[in-house]
Short mmCIF file of all heavy atoms in Angstrom, two decimals:
data_model
loop_
_atom_site.label_atom_id
_atom_site.label_comp_id
_atom_site.label_asym_id
_atom_site.label_seq_id
_atom_site.Cartn_x
_atom_site.Cartn_y
_atom_site.Cartn_z
N ARG A 322 4.99 0.61 8.99
CA ARG A 322 5.18 -0.31 7.87
C ARG A 322 4.04 -1.30 7.68
O ARG A 322 4.20 -2.29 6.96
CB ARG A 322 6.52 -1.06 8.00
CG ARG A 322 7.73 -0.15 8.01
CD ARG A 322 9.04 -0.93 7.99
NE ARG A 322 10.17 -0.03 7.99
CZ ARG A 322 10.72 0.52 9.08
NH1 ARG A 322 10.22 0.21 10.27
NH2 ARG A 322 11.73 1.35 9.00
N GLN A 323 2.94 -1.06 8.30
CA GLN A 323 1.79 -1.93 8.06
C GLN A 323 1.06 -1.51 6.78
O GLN A 323 1.29 -0.44 6.23
CB GLN A 323 0.81 -1.86 9.24
CG GLN A 323 1.26 -2.64 10.46
CD GLN A 323 0.18 -2.69 11.53
OE1 GLN A 323 -0.65 -1.80 11.64
NE2 GLN A 323 0.18 -3.75 12.32
N ARG A 324 0.18 -2.40 6.32
CA ARG A 324 -0.73 -2.07 5.23
C ARG A 324 -2.13 -1.95 5.84
O ARG A 324 -2.64 -2.91 6.42
CB ARG A 324 -0.72 -3.13 4.13
CG ARG A 324 -1.79 -2.88 3.06
CD ARG A 324 -1.67 -3.87 1.93
NE ARG A 324 -0.52 -3.58 1.10
CZ ARG A 324 0.24 -4.50 0.52
NH1 ARG A 324 -0.02 -5.79 0.70
NH2 ARG A 324 1.27 -4.16 -0.22
N ILE A 325 -2.72 -0.79 5.71
CA ILE A 325 -4.03 -0.52 6.29
C ILE A 325 -4.98 -0.07 5.20
O ILE A 325 -4.64 0.78 4.37
CB ILE A 325 -3.95 0.55 7.39
CG1 ILE A 325 -3.09 0.05 8.56
CG2 ILE A 325 -5.33 0.95 7.89
CD1 ILE A 325 -2.95 1.03 9.70
N VAL A 326 -6.18 -0.65 5.19
CA VAL A 326 -7.22 -0.27 4.24
C VAL A 326 -8.28 0.53 4.98
O VAL A 326 -8.85 0.06 5.97
CB VAL A 326 -7.86 -1.50 3.58
CG1 VAL A 326 -9.04 -1.08 2.70
CG2 VAL A 326 -6.83 -2.27 2.76
N ASP A 327 -8.49 1.76 4.53
CA ASP A 327 -9.62 2.57 5.00
C ASP A 327 -10.73 2.35 3.99
O ASP A 327 -10.76 2.98 2.94
CB ASP A 327 -9.20 4.04 5.10
CG ASP A 327 -10.28 4.91 5.72
OD1 ASP A 327 -11.39 4.40 5.99
OD2 ASP A 327 -10.03 6.11 5.93
N PHE A 328 -11.65 1.42 4.32
CA PHE A 328 -12.56 0.88 3.31
C PHE A 328 -13.63 1.87 2.87
O PHE A 328 -14.10 1.81 1.75
CB PHE A 328 -13.21 -0.39 3.86
CG PHE A 328 -13.80 -1.28 2.81
CD1 PHE A 328 -12.99 -1.99 1.95
CD2 PHE A 328 -15.17 -1.42 2.68
CE1 PHE A 328 -13.52 -2.82 0.97
CE2 PHE A 328 -15.72 -2.25 1.71
CZ PHE A 328 -14.89 -2.95 0.86
N CYS A 329 -14.04 2.77 3.75
CA CYS A 329 -15.03 3.81 3.42
C CYS A 329 -14.39 5.15 3.74
O CYS A 329 -14.81 5.86 4.65
CB CYS A 329 -16.32 3.61 4.22
SG CYS A 329 -17.11 2.00 3.98
N ALA A 330 -13.39 5.51 2.96
CA ALA A 330 -12.50 6.62 3.32
C ALA A 330 -13.15 7.98 3.22
O ALA A 330 -12.74 8.92 3.91
CB ALA A 330 -11.24 6.57 2.45
N GLY A 331 -14.15 8.14 2.35
CA GLY A 331 -14.78 9.45 2.19
C GLY A 331 -13.76 10.50 1.81
O GLY A 331 -12.95 10.33 0.90
N GLY A 332 -13.75 11.61 2.56
CA GLY A 332 -12.82 12.70 2.29
C GLY A 332 -11.43 12.49 2.85
O GLY A 332 -10.55 13.33 2.65
N GLY A 333 -11.22 11.38 3.59
CA GLY A 333 -9.87 10.99 3.98
C GLY A 333 -9.38 11.45 5.33
O GLY A 333 -8.19 11.31 5.64
N GLY A 334 -10.25 11.98 6.19
CA GLY A 334 -9.80 12.47 7.49
C GLY A 334 -9.14 11.40 8.33
O GLY A 334 -8.06 11.62 8.90
N LYS A 335 -9.75 10.21 8.40
CA LYS A 335 -9.16 9.13 9.21
C LYS A 335 -7.93 8.54 8.53
O LYS A 335 -6.98 8.15 9.20
CB LYS A 335 -10.22 8.06 9.49
CG LYS A 335 -11.37 8.57 10.35
CD LYS A 335 -12.38 7.47 10.62
CE LYS A 335 -13.57 8.02 11.38
NZ LYS A 335 -14.36 8.99 10.57
N ALA A 336 -7.95 8.48 7.20
CA ALA A 336 -6.77 7.98 6.48
C ALA A 336 -5.56 8.85 6.77
O ALA A 336 -4.44 8.34 6.96
CB ALA A 336 -7.06 7.93 4.97
N LEU A 337 -5.75 10.17 6.81
CA LEU A 337 -4.65 11.07 7.12
C LEU A 337 -4.11 10.81 8.52
O LEU A 337 -2.89 10.80 8.74
CB LEU A 337 -5.13 12.52 7.02
CG LEU A 337 -5.38 13.08 5.61
CD1 LEU A 337 -6.14 14.39 5.71
CD2 LEU A 337 -4.08 13.28 4.87
N HIS A 338 -5.01 10.60 9.48
CA HIS A 338 -4.57 10.36 10.84
C HIS A 338 -3.82 9.03 10.93
O HIS A 338 -2.78 8.94 11.59
CB HIS A 338 -5.79 10.36 11.78
CG HIS A 338 -5.42 10.44 13.22
ND1 HIS A 338 -6.35 10.33 14.23
CD2 HIS A 338 -4.22 10.62 13.84
CE1 HIS A 338 -5.74 10.45 15.40
NE2 HIS A 338 -4.45 10.60 15.19
N LEU A 339 -4.34 8.00 10.27
CA LEU A 339 -3.67 6.70 10.29
C LEU A 339 -2.27 6.81 9.68
O LEU A 339 -1.30 6.26 10.22
CB LEU A 339 -4.50 5.67 9.52
CG LEU A 339 -5.83 5.28 10.15
CD1 LEU A 339 -6.68 4.48 9.16
CD2 LEU A 339 -5.61 4.47 11.43
N ALA A 340 -2.16 7.51 8.55
CA ALA A 340 -0.86 7.66 7.89
C ALA A 340 0.13 8.39 8.79
O ALA A 340 1.33 8.08 8.82
CB ALA A 340 -1.04 8.43 6.58
N THR A 341 -0.36 9.36 9.56
CA THR A 341 0.50 10.10 10.48
C THR A 341 0.96 9.20 11.63
O THR A 341 2.14 9.21 12.01
CB THR A 341 -0.25 11.32 11.03
OG1 THR A 341 -0.70 12.13 9.94
CG2 THR A 341 0.65 12.15 11.93
N LEU A 342 0.02 8.42 12.19
CA LEU A 342 0.38 7.53 13.29
C LEU A 342 1.38 6.46 12.84
O LEU A 342 2.14 5.94 13.66
CB LEU A 342 -0.88 6.87 13.86
CG LEU A 342 -1.84 7.80 14.62
CD1 LEU A 342 -3.10 7.05 15.03
CD2 LEU A 342 -1.15 8.40 15.85
N MET A 343 1.38 6.13 11.54
CA MET A 343 2.34 5.18 11.01
C MET A 343 3.66 5.85 10.65
O MET A 343 4.56 5.23 10.07
CB MET A 343 1.76 4.49 9.77
CG MET A 343 0.55 3.61 10.09
SD MET A 343 -0.41 3.19 8.62
CE MET A 343 0.76 2.21 7.69
N GLU A 344 3.77 7.15 10.99
CA GLU A 344 4.99 7.94 10.77
C GLU A 344 5.40 7.95 9.30
O GLU A 344 6.59 7.88 8.96
CB GLU A 344 6.13 7.42 11.67
CG GLU A 344 5.80 7.50 13.15
CD GLU A 344 6.92 6.95 14.03
OE1 GLU A 344 8.05 6.79 13.53
OE2 GLU A 344 6.65 6.67 15.20
N ASN A 345 4.38 8.03 8.45
CA ASN A 345 4.59 8.15 7.00
C ASN A 345 5.32 6.95 6.42
O ASN A 345 6.04 7.06 5.42
CB ASN A 345 5.35 9.45 6.67
CG ASN A 345 5.11 9.90 5.24
OD1 ASN A 345 4.06 9.61 4.65
ND2 ASN A 345 6.06 10.61 4.67
N THR A 346 5.15 5.78 7.04
CA THR A 346 5.71 4.53 6.52
C THR A 346 4.57 3.62 6.11
O THR A 346 3.40 3.92 6.32
CB THR A 346 6.57 3.82 7.57
OG1 THR A 346 5.71 3.37 8.65
CG2 THR A 346 7.63 4.75 8.14
N GLY A 347 4.89 2.46 5.56
CA GLY A 347 3.86 1.50 5.19
C GLY A 347 2.94 2.06 4.12
O GLY A 347 3.35 2.87 3.28
N GLU A 348 1.68 1.64 4.16
CA GLU A 348 0.74 2.03 3.12
C GLU A 348 -0.67 2.12 3.70
O GLU A 348 -1.15 1.19 4.35
CB GLU A 348 0.77 1.01 1.98
CG GLU A 348 -0.15 1.36 0.83
CD GLU A 348 -0.10 0.29 -0.26
OE1 GLU A 348 -0.21 -0.92 0.07
OE2 GLU A 348 0.03 0.66 -1.44
N VAL A 349 -1.31 3.24 3.46
CA VAL A 349 -2.74 3.41 3.77
C VAL A 349 -3.48 3.46 2.45
O VAL A 349 -3.24 4.36 1.63
CB VAL A 349 -3.00 4.69 4.58
CG1 VAL A 349 -4.50 4.86 4.81
CG2 VAL A 349 -2.27 4.64 5.92
N ILE A 350 -4.36 2.50 2.24
CA ILE A 350 -5.14 2.44 1.00
C ILE A 350 -6.52 3.02 1.30
O ILE A 350 -7.29 2.46 2.08
CB ILE A 350 -5.27 0.99 0.49
CG1 ILE A 350 -3.88 0.41 0.23
CG2 ILE A 350 -6.13 0.95 -0.76
CD1 ILE A 350 -3.90 -1.07 -0.10
N ALA A 351 -6.79 4.18 0.70
CA ALA A 351 -8.08 4.86 0.90
C ALA A 351 -9.04 4.43 -0.20
O ALA A 351 -8.84 4.76 -1.37
CB ALA A 351 -7.88 6.36 0.89
N MET A 352 -10.07 3.68 0.19
CA MET A 352 -11.05 3.16 -0.77
C MET A 352 -12.42 3.77 -0.51
O MET A 352 -12.77 4.05 0.63
CB MET A 352 -11.14 1.63 -0.68
CG MET A 352 -9.85 0.92 -0.98
SD MET A 352 -9.97 -0.89 -0.71
CE MET A 352 -11.13 -1.32 -2.01
N ASP A 353 -13.19 3.97 -1.57
CA ASP A 353 -14.56 4.45 -1.44
C ASP A 353 -15.24 4.33 -2.80
O ASP A 353 -14.56 4.32 -3.84
CB ASP A 353 -14.59 5.91 -0.97
CG ASP A 353 -15.90 6.26 -0.26
OD1 ASP A 353 -16.91 6.42 -0.96
OD2 ASP A 353 -15.91 6.36 0.97
N VAL A 354 -16.57 4.23 -2.77
CA VAL A 354 -17.31 4.18 -4.03
C VAL A 354 -17.51 5.59 -4.59
O VAL A 354 -17.83 5.75 -5.77
CB VAL A 354 -18.69 3.51 -3.84
CG1 VAL A 354 -18.53 2.06 -3.43
CG2 VAL A 354 -19.54 4.26 -2.82
N ASN A 355 -17.32 6.62 -3.76
CA ASN A 355 -17.56 8.00 -4.17
C ASN A 355 -16.24 8.65 -4.60
O ASN A 355 -15.46 9.11 -3.78
CB ASN A 355 -18.19 8.78 -3.01
CG ASN A 355 -18.69 10.15 -3.43
OD1 ASN A 355 -18.13 10.78 -4.32
ND2 ASN A 355 -19.74 10.62 -2.77
N GLU A 356 -16.02 8.68 -5.90
CA GLU A 356 -14.75 9.21 -6.41
C GLU A 356 -14.62 10.71 -6.16
O GLU A 356 -13.51 11.23 -5.99
CB GLU A 356 -14.61 8.92 -7.90
CG GLU A 356 -14.33 7.46 -8.21
CD GLU A 356 -13.87 7.24 -9.64
OE1 GLU A 356 -12.86 7.87 -10.03
OE2 GLU A 356 -14.51 6.45 -10.34
N ARG A 357 -15.76 11.44 -6.14
CA ARG A 357 -15.70 12.87 -5.88
C ARG A 357 -15.13 13.15 -4.50
O ARG A 357 -14.29 14.03 -4.33
CB ARG A 357 -17.11 13.49 -6.00
CG ARG A 357 -17.13 15.01 -5.84
CD ARG A 357 -18.55 15.55 -5.79
NE ARG A 357 -19.26 15.08 -4.63
CZ ARG A 357 -19.15 15.62 -3.42
NH1 ARG A 357 -18.33 16.64 -3.21
NH2 ARG A 357 -19.84 15.14 -2.40
N ARG A 358 -15.58 12.38 -3.50
CA ARG A 358 -15.05 12.58 -2.15
C ARG A 358 -13.60 12.11 -2.06
O ARG A 358 -12.77 12.75 -1.39
CB ARG A 358 -15.92 11.84 -1.14
CG ARG A 358 -17.33 12.39 -1.01
CD ARG A 358 -18.01 11.85 0.23
NE ARG A 358 -17.37 12.39 1.44
CZ ARG A 358 -17.54 11.88 2.65
NH1 ARG A 358 -18.29 10.81 2.81
NH2 ARG A 358 -16.95 12.41 3.69
N LEU A 359 -13.27 11.03 -2.74
CA LEU A 359 -11.88 10.56 -2.72
C LEU A 359 -10.93 11.59 -3.31
O LEU A 359 -9.77 11.69 -2.88
CB LEU A 359 -11.76 9.25 -3.51
CG LEU A 359 -12.16 7.95 -2.82
CD1 LEU A 359 -12.01 6.78 -3.77
CD2 LEU A 359 -11.32 7.71 -1.56
N SER A 360 -11.42 12.36 -4.28
CA SER A 360 -10.54 13.34 -4.93
C SER A 360 -10.10 14.43 -3.96
O SER A 360 -9.14 15.17 -4.24
CB SER A 360 -11.26 13.98 -6.13
OG SER A 360 -12.37 14.76 -5.69
N GLN A 361 -10.79 14.56 -2.83
CA GLN A 361 -10.42 15.58 -1.84
C GLN A 361 -9.19 15.19 -1.03
O GLN A 361 -8.62 16.03 -0.33
CB GLN A 361 -11.60 15.82 -0.89
CG GLN A 361 -12.88 16.28 -1.58
CD GLN A 361 -14.07 16.27 -0.63
OE1 GLN A 361 -13.92 16.16 0.58
NE2 GLN A 361 -15.27 16.39 -1.19
N ILE A 362 -8.81 13.91 -1.11
CA ILE A 362 -7.73 13.44 -0.24
C ILE A 362 -6.37 13.95 -0.66
O ILE A 362 -5.56 14.37 0.17
CB ILE A 362 -7.72 11.89 -0.19
CG1 ILE A 362 -9.03 11.37 0.40
CG2 ILE A 362 -6.53 11.39 0.62
CD1 ILE A 362 -9.13 9.86 0.45
N LYS A 363 -6.08 13.95 -1.97
CA LYS A 363 -4.72 14.28 -2.42
C LYS A 363 -4.24 15.64 -1.93
O LYS A 363 -3.14 15.74 -1.34
CB LYS A 363 -4.60 14.18 -3.93
CG LYS A 363 -3.17 14.43 -4.41
CD LYS A 363 -2.99 14.19 -5.90
CE LYS A 363 -1.54 14.44 -6.30
NZ LYS A 363 -1.33 14.21 -7.75
N PRO A 364 -5.01 16.73 -2.14
CA PRO A 364 -4.49 18.02 -1.64
C PRO A 364 -4.32 18.03 -0.13
O PRO A 364 -3.45 18.75 0.40
CB PRO A 364 -5.56 19.03 -2.09
CG PRO A 364 -6.76 18.22 -2.45
CD PRO A 364 -6.27 16.89 -2.88
N ARG A 365 -5.08 17.22 0.58
CA ARG A 365 -4.96 17.18 2.04
C ARG A 365 -3.67 16.47 2.46
O ARG A 365 -2.97 16.94 3.36
CB ARG A 365 -6.18 16.49 2.65
CG ARG A 365 -7.48 17.24 2.42
CD ARG A 365 -8.68 16.50 2.98
NE ARG A 365 -8.71 16.54 4.44
CZ ARG A 365 -9.64 15.93 5.17
NH1 ARG A 365 -10.59 15.22 4.58
NH2 ARG A 365 -9.60 16.02 6.49
N TYR A 366 -3.33 15.34 1.80
CA TYR A 366 -2.10 14.67 2.24
C TYR A 366 -0.85 15.38 1.72
O TYR A 366 0.22 15.29 2.33
CB TYR A 366 -2.10 13.17 1.92
CG TYR A 366 -1.99 12.70 0.50
CD1 TYR A 366 -0.85 12.92 -0.27
CD2 TYR A 366 -3.00 11.94 -0.08
CE1 TYR A 366 -0.73 12.44 -1.56
CE2 TYR A 366 -2.90 11.44 -1.38
CZ TYR A 366 -1.76 11.70 -2.12
OH TYR A 366 -1.65 11.22 -3.39
N VAL A 367 -0.99 16.12 0.63
CA VAL A 367 0.14 16.94 0.17
C VAL A 367 0.41 18.04 1.18
O VAL A 367 1.57 18.29 1.56
CB VAL A 367 -0.14 17.52 -1.23
CG1 VAL A 367 0.90 18.59 -1.57
CG2 VAL A 367 -0.15 16.42 -2.27
#
C-alpha cells in the first residue's frame, strides 16, 4: 500500500518487480522522458 515512484522507469523492469513485492497493492508510478520505452510497460504488467 505504499506509493513508489520509479523516476527513470525505462521499459519498466524494476517497476514490475516493485509492484510484485508490494503484492499488487498501493501504487507504482512509472515515470520517464522516453514515451516509446514507457509504452513497453503496459503489455508487460498485463
Side-chain angles (χ1 to χ4, degrees):
R322 299 186 180 85
Q323 284 187 332
R324 173 175 287 145
I325 296 180
V326 174
D327 186 355
F328 199 70
C329 302
K335 295 181 184 66
L337 288 167
H338 194 186
L339 292 169
T341 304
L342 291 175
M343 294 164 65
E344 300 178 16
N345 203 27
T346 67
E348 181 181 48
V349 177
I350 301 172
M352 299 175 67
D353 204 285
V354 296
N355 190 329
E356 288 194 56
R357 184 187 65 81
R358 294 194 68 196
L359 279 178
S360 66
Q361 301 170 14
I362 297 178
K363 184 174 181 179
R365 296 177 72 182
Y366 70 65
V367 169

